[in-house]
Amino acid sequence: MHRHLSLAVLIAAAIWPTMSVAQTQVPRNPNIIVDYIEPRPPIDPQDKSYADDMAAYQRFMKIYQRAKQRQLLEELAEFLAPLKLPRTLRVRTKPCNEVNAFYDPTDWTVNICYEWIDATEQMAPKTVSPEGFTRQEVIVGGFVGVVLHEMGHAVNDIFNIPVLGREEDSADQWAGFVMLQFGKNVARTAISGMAYVWLTFARESGAAYWDVHSTSGQRFYNFLCIGYGGEPAAFQDQVDKWLTKDRVESCAHEYQQVRNAFIKTMMPNIDQDLLKKVQAAKWLRPDDGKWE
Amino acid sequence: MKSIISAMLLAVAVLSPAETAQAQAQPVAGAKQTPWGPANSQIEIAYVEPKDAAFRPLYDKLKKRQVLEELQAFLVPLRLTRKITVKLDQCGSAGTHYKPGGAVTLCYEYVANLEQAAPNVRVTIGGQTFTRDDALIGSFVHLALSETARAAFDVLEIPVWGREEHAADRVAGFLMFQFGEKVAYRTLVGTSWFLSQSSVVQTGLPTGDFSYTRAVDGETLQRFYNMICIALGGDGTRYAFLKKSLPQGRADNCRWEYLQLVRSFNDTFMPYVDKDLMKQVQATDWLAQPGGK
């Protein structure tokens, strides 16, 4: 049960419209500064994209207001309390003019774009997708996944974590591994949701094999594989549907390799007492993420 | 065959500067001796006879040339905490990789693919003549190093972030870059050639600049881009000719990727490298075959 709780902090943050502010005894990480950058409306009604920009602005304002009212980032700072950060890390939501989220090492800032949150809400099925992914999974997982991915970049940078493989894949692994540390239900919700986001992107655009990121299709399979590697029962139906037999057989090894890397490189940077406090809080509610 | 022999020579050479020739490694107490110096006593080797007669000539030549003995000598500075076996074997497919607790297997099928992909004509890449031997040497060295890297991850419990297959490729690429310009060119460009030619529909003669690369196997193409990114990151001036093969958005990131790799290698592998033995290995000219042939 305890393992369900600390990620639940983040889950709660992702699904703020339907839940109250979490009641935790966890202090915020004093080295994390949070900020909500207010979107600005378009200024020229004669601009040909004005109507679309105004519609987007209005959606972003709703996201901004919800996030601020529900103290989304403050809760994230509580969730991250166990991280023994040697310097200030800034986390902010902001408009970016692109569907993205990114860590900027020049000022140690994690940026979560309103466009990303908006895009995942737009792509989420009304209830359940034809493939069986739920709206709750997509909204929760789409947010949790991207926040943890960017946090993966941040910790790689701040703690000088050795990355022998590719940086972007390591950030996905970091996110997937953390998602798996809080029980089957949390893992299933967050990882399935993130996987669906990549499945959707894979269907919408071609594969850029030259890029620093793995392709959207690869990321979809990778998330399902690490999920199965960590919680086989929770992902059996999905890997049966989506992964080849050869890949399924390697998932346990893939998960163990990430687990070993996390223990060796990350655990020295985590305060165990604060981790227990984070694990002692309850955040997730039954109706989380189920709004229209 | 000569190309394969050269490949193993070069596999050894990547741990030594090509400029420092002729010095002999000092004997290691109790170690088996090879024509190239003491062998790593934690590495056992085996040449497994192929069931398919088509691979028999390859088996005979590789065994006669003692390519695995050479690899044993090349890896002598690596302090493995338990024994591993490196073998040449028929695998059933070219895509077999190391599995934890198993053997490092260099597949005859993969080596055959290297020969198939190597050009039969001389081409110019980066202002330098690129030969069939270069293609074979580079790609075989890469095979040996990347598969051995996977075993080292397991045996030494190296933390591996960023997916094992990419980590193995990057460690191999990094090593290929550490022993002088000549070695780096032959191995990096040779590997890049194989990866690019393995992922294309060949529509004509090679142009020599990878410009006719077309993906039919996306993951191999992805590895090709990773390899040329290491080259650009390691020496952006020498390998500037590769920029046209890599979109700007990735090319701009290659130096950062390379520096991250350097730091990560130093943090993870170097504690397991015997510095004195490393110097001995570095003092040998591995590009030259025994007897001067």
Side-chain angles (χ1 to χ4, degrees):
Chain A
M1 181 56 199
H2 284 178
R3 296 174 66 230
H4 287 256
L5 301 178
S6 54
L7 183 63
V9 175
L10 198 53
I11 298 294
I15 52 180
W16 67 93
T18 63
M19 57 185 301
S20 60
V21 175
Q23 300 298 310
T24 78
Q25 301 299 316
V26 181
R28 291 179 196 167
N29 191 316
N31 283 331
I32 293 180
I33 296 175
V34 303
D35 194 11
Y36 305 85
I37 308 299
E38 185 175 345
R40 298 185 66 170
I43 58 173
D44 185 0
Q46 295 185 356
D47 190 311
K48 60 183 180 182
S49 66
Y50 180 80
D52 289 343
D53 291 345
M54 180 57 76
Y57 162 74
Q58 290 168 347
R59 295 196 305 275
F60 296 168
M61 275 302 291
K62 288 182 180 177
I63 295 170
Y64 160 76
Q65 289 164 348
R66 287 195 313 236
K68 195 171 182 180
Q69 179 183 355
R70 308 302 275 180
Q71 299 187 310
L72 169 66
L73 298 183
E74 290 82 352
E75 293 178 8
L76 177 64
E78 295 175 1
F79 175 71
L80 297 172
L83 272 183
K84 296 188 282 190
L85 292 167
R87 66 169 66 254
T88 298
L89 171 68
R90 289 175 171 78
V91 182
R92 64 188 175 200
T93 58
K94 59 176 287 191
C96 304
N97 291 321
E98 61 179 344
V99 178
N100 201 3
F102 57 97
Y103 169 68
D104 187 344
T106 62
D107 59 0
W108 298 286
T109 301
V110 169
N111 299 277
I112 309 299
C113 306
Y114 296 124
E115 287 86 346
W116 173 275
I117 301 171
D118 181 54
T120 56
E121 291 186 4
Q122 299 279 340
M123 75 172 64
K126 291 292 183 185
T127 54
V128 182
S129 78
E131 303 87 357
F133 295 94
T134 70
R135 179 173 180 79
Q136 181 189 30
E137 288 172 344
V138 176
I139 292 175
V140 173
F143 184 85
V144 171
V146 78
V147 169
L148 292 180
H149 174 94
E150 299 309 329
M151 280 304 306
H153 287 309
V155 299
N156 282 350
D157 178 42
I158 292 172
F159 295 118
N160 286 321
I161 303 295
V163 179
L164 288 171
R166 303 209 308 173
E167 167 73 16
E168 291 295 338
D169 291 318
S170 79
D172 274 354
Q173 290 175 322
W174 201 90
F177 180 79
V178 172
M179 290 173 180
L180 281 159
Q181 304 314 304
F182 304 93
K184 291 179 184 177
N185 292 337
V186 169
R188 171 74 187 210
T189 298
I191 288 181
S192 291
M194 192 72 241
Y196 180 84
V197 170
W198 293 122
L199 176 64
T200 302
F201 283 138
R203 287 168 168 168
E204 291 176 349
S205 58
Y209 288 103
W210 56 266
D211 195 38
V212 292
H213 300 86
S214 287
T215 65
S216 296
Q218 289 173 321
R219 299 176 81 173
F220 166 68
Y221 295 124
N222 289 344
F223 268 102
L224 292 185
C225 189
I226 196 172
Y228 179 73
E231 290 283 4
F235 291 90
Q236 186 68 59
D237 62 323
Q238 291 190 328
V239 299
D240 286 347
K241 187 172 186 177
W242 296 102
L243 298 187
T244 64
K245 182 174 178 291
D246 285 349
R247 181 64 189 272
V248 170
E249 289 175 352
S250 76
C251 293
H253 169 65
E254 291 183 34
Y255 174 79
Q256 283 302 323
Q257 197 165 50
V258 172
R259 181 176 181 273
N260 293 340
F262 192 95
I263 290 170
K264 276 207 164 189
T265 63
M266 277 307 304
M267 287 309 283
N269 304 303
I270 292 175
D271 184 305
Q272 298 302 315
D273 291 335
L274 284 174
L275 183 59
K276 290 175 183 173
K277 287 185 178 179
V278 167
Q279 290 175 324
K282 184 175 182 179
W283 302 85
L284 193 55
R285 304 286 176 83
D287 58 347
D288 289 339
K290 293 182 179 176
W291 70 94
E292 291 301 319
Chain B
M1 187 54 230
K2 190 173 70 175
S3 301
I4 300 303
I5 295 169
S6 301
M8 285 314 301
L9 285 170
L10 198 53
V12 181
V14 295
L15 280 184
S16 64
E19 297 79 8
T20 56
Q22 305 305 323
Q24 289 295 314
Q26 295 301 307
V28 176
K32 183 183 101 176
Q33 290 297 309
T34 77
W36 300 271
N40 188 319
S41 60
Q42 294 287 71
I43 298 176
E44 297 179 340
I45 60 173
Y47 299 85
V48 181
E49 291 189 39
K51 295 175 182 174
D52 188 337
F55 294 125
R56 184 74 194 192
L58 203 54
Y59 160 80
D60 289 337
K61 292 172 185 174
L62 291 168
K63 187 175 183 181
K64 182 179 180 182
R65 180 58 184 80
Q66 301 183 73
V67 291
L68 297 183
E69 289 83 349
E70 193 167 358
L71 184 63
Q72 280 181 305
F74 170 62
L75 294 173
V76 72
L78 189 60
R79 294 186 297 218
L80 294 166
T81 52
R82 62 176 167 82
K83 288 186 182 296
I84 62 170
T85 297
V86 181
K87 63 179 180 177
L88 275 153
D89 198 357
Q90 186 174 342
C91 303
S93 73
T96 301
H97 298 294
Y98 174 85
K99 292 180 179 177
V104 175
T105 305
L106 310 179
C107 305
Y108 295 122
E109 291 91 338
Y110 194 96
V111 179
N113 285 350
L114 305 183
E115 294 201 320
Q116 191 172 21
N120 290 315
V121 295
R122 286 172 176 264
V123 293
T124 299
I125 299 178
Q128 188 170 330
T129 300
F130 181 80
T131 68
R132 179 175 176 82
D133 278 357
D134 291 328
L136 288 164
I137 289 167
S139 52
F140 190 87
V141 168
H142 179 264
L143 168 67
L145 293 181
S146 60
E147 287 302 315
T148 304
R150 288 179 188 244
F153 297 157
D154 177 34
V155 172
L156 301 175
E157 299 180 358
I158 300 280
V160 179
W161 285 110
R163 301 195 59 74
E164 180 178 283
E165 65 271 27
H166 294 313
D169 273 355
R170 276 160 54 87
V171 167
F174 171 76
L175 289 173
M176 295 188 316
F177 222 110
Q178 305 311 308
F179 303 95
E181 186 177 314
K182 188 176 179 182
V183 169
Y185 175 87
R186 298 187 86 181
T187 53
L188 286 165
V189 176
T191 303
S192 299
W193 177 274
F194 173 68
L195 293 174
S196 69
Q197 301 313 300
S198 298
S199 62
V200 302
V201 174
Q202 299 209 21
T203 56
L205 286 174
T207 63
D209 61 3
F210 303 115
S211 62
Y212 79 125
T213 296
R214 287 199 294 133
V216 293
D217 170 3
E219 291 189 2
T220 303
L221 186 60
Q222 193 172 49
R223 296 175 65 201
F224 162 71
Y225 288 125
N226 290 341
M227 191 56 58
I228 63 174
C229 191
I230 288 174
L232 281 169
D235 188 342
T237 301
R238 174 67 182 88
Y239 295 97
F241 65 91
L242 292 173
K243 283 186 178 177
K244 60 186 173 186
S245 300
L246 192 62
Q248 190 71 32
R250 177 67 184 274
D252 289 345
N253 199 53
C254 291
R255 182 62 180 166
W256 183 89
E257 292 183 41
Y258 183 80
L259 293 176
Q260 183 194 45
L261 178 57
V262 171
R263 178 177 58 76
S264 299
F265 184 89
N266 287 335
D267 288 349
T268 55
F269 270 93
M270 287 311 288
Y272 299 101
V273 173
D274 184 303
K275 305 294 189 300
D276 293 332
L277 289 174
M278 183 71 175
K279 288 176 183 174
Q280 291 182 21
V281 168
Q282 287 177 321
T284 301
D285 181 6
W286 298 94
L287 288 172
Q289 296 184 39
K293 296 180 180 177

